[in-house]
Amino acid sequence: MPDFTKIYYLKDGNERQRRAYEVLTDYTIFEKLSNYSPVLAGTIPIEIDIESSDLDIICEVDLRFEKEFLEEIMRSKLIPNDVEFLVEKIMVNGEKSIVLNFMLEEFPIEIFGQNKPSTEQNAYRHMIAEHKILQEKGEKFKQKIIELKKQGIKTEPAFGMLLGLENPYEDLLKF
């Protein structure tokens, strides 16, 4: 299994993974977020992305200091001056979270921060479980997931449909 806490595995991946690696390294995204333990999660690392899939970067952010986090992002020029972005403060599973969305070249980028280690956040835990399931179930299963995603079904519900899970967001965490 690749070390998903680093992005080096992307440079030997499929075409979209290699392109994601180029964009992330050209804009030094992970270096600029290094104080927040950034991890690329979601569908691109496990090769079940579709054309509209974004680069989900999860971070450990002490939300008592969210103003400082946002100021550091602006100071570091993580988001180029000519790029529009959206910042949202939301609750996810009862936890305060912050989300930044913007575009870099052809990729929608989502930076998601919660006050817990990146590898303990559900996005990372779901991705690891999904990766293990994909390894076990093989290429046909993977293609079925991709087809469901192309039909507009989100990743966890797609796994839930194919695996018969009642609550895929919770049940995937048990894998």
Side-chain angles (χ1 to χ4, degrees):
M1 181 162 78
D3 178 359
F4 289 114
T5 64
K6 310 281 187 259
I7 61 169
Y8 306 117
Y9 66 93
L10 294 172
K11 60 182 172 175
D12 296 322
N14 65 29
E15 186 178 328
R16 193 119 191 270
Q17 289 175 323
R18 291 190 307 271
R19 182 68 187 125
Y21 181 80
E22 282 177 28
V23 170
L24 292 170
T25 54
D26 287 353
Y27 287 89
T28 62
I29 300 296
F30 279 68
E31 291 84 345
K32 291 172 181 172
L33 289 170
S34 63
N35 291 338
Y36 304 99
S37 307
V39 173
L40 183 65
T43 59
I44 291 174
I46 59 175
E47 299 182 77
I48 55 170
D49 54 296
I50 58 174
E51 195 174 311
S52 61
S53 295
D54 60 3
L55 292 172
D56 291 312
I57 302 168
I58 55 175
C59 296
E60 180 177 1
V61 178
D62 185 338
L63 292 173
R64 293 174 302 171
F65 305 104
E66 73 183 45
K67 184 178 177 203
E68 290 84 348
F69 169 67
L70 293 171
E71 286 172 357
E72 187 171 332
I73 284 184
M74 296 307 137
R75 222 179 12 259
S76 73
K77 303 277 190 233
L78 176 90
I79 304 169
N81 289 335
D82 59 341
V83 172
E84 289 185 31
F85 64 94
L86 174 67
V87 178
E88 291 180 281
K89 298 170 191 173
I90 60 173
M91 293 294 282
V92 176
N93 298 325
E95 294 189 52
K96 285 184 180 179
S97 307
I98 190 165
V99 184
L100 284 84
N101 287 288
F102 58 98
M103 289 289 295
L104 280 182
E105 302 195 18
E106 72 271 27
F107 288 103
I109 308 281
E110 179 172 285
I111 297 174
F112 179 90
Q114 276 187 334
N115 192 16
K116 62 166 60 173
S118 303
T119 55
E120 291 177 19
Q121 294 181 29
N122 283 353
Y124 180 81
R125 294 175 61 210
H126 284 155
M127 179 183 71
I128 296 301
E130 292 158 1
H131 178 72
K132 288 177 182 173
I133 292 165
L134 291 167
Q135 298 300 302
E136 289 172 17
K137 299 282 187 185
E139 190 61 31
K140 280 186 181 175
F141 183 87
K142 181 180 184 177
Q143 291 309 315
K144 287 180 186 175
I145 293 288
I146 292 169
E147 282 308 310
L148 289 171
K149 290 183 60 54
K150 286 180 180 175
Q151 294 170 29
I153 297 169
K154 293 213 168 268
T155 306
E156 286 80 0
F159 274 85
M161 288 172 72
L162 294 181
L163 296 172
L165 304 176
E166 270 184 52
N167 182 345
Y169 291 97
E170 288 299 316
D171 295 343
L172 281 169
L173 297 176
K174 299 171 187 168
F175 276 85

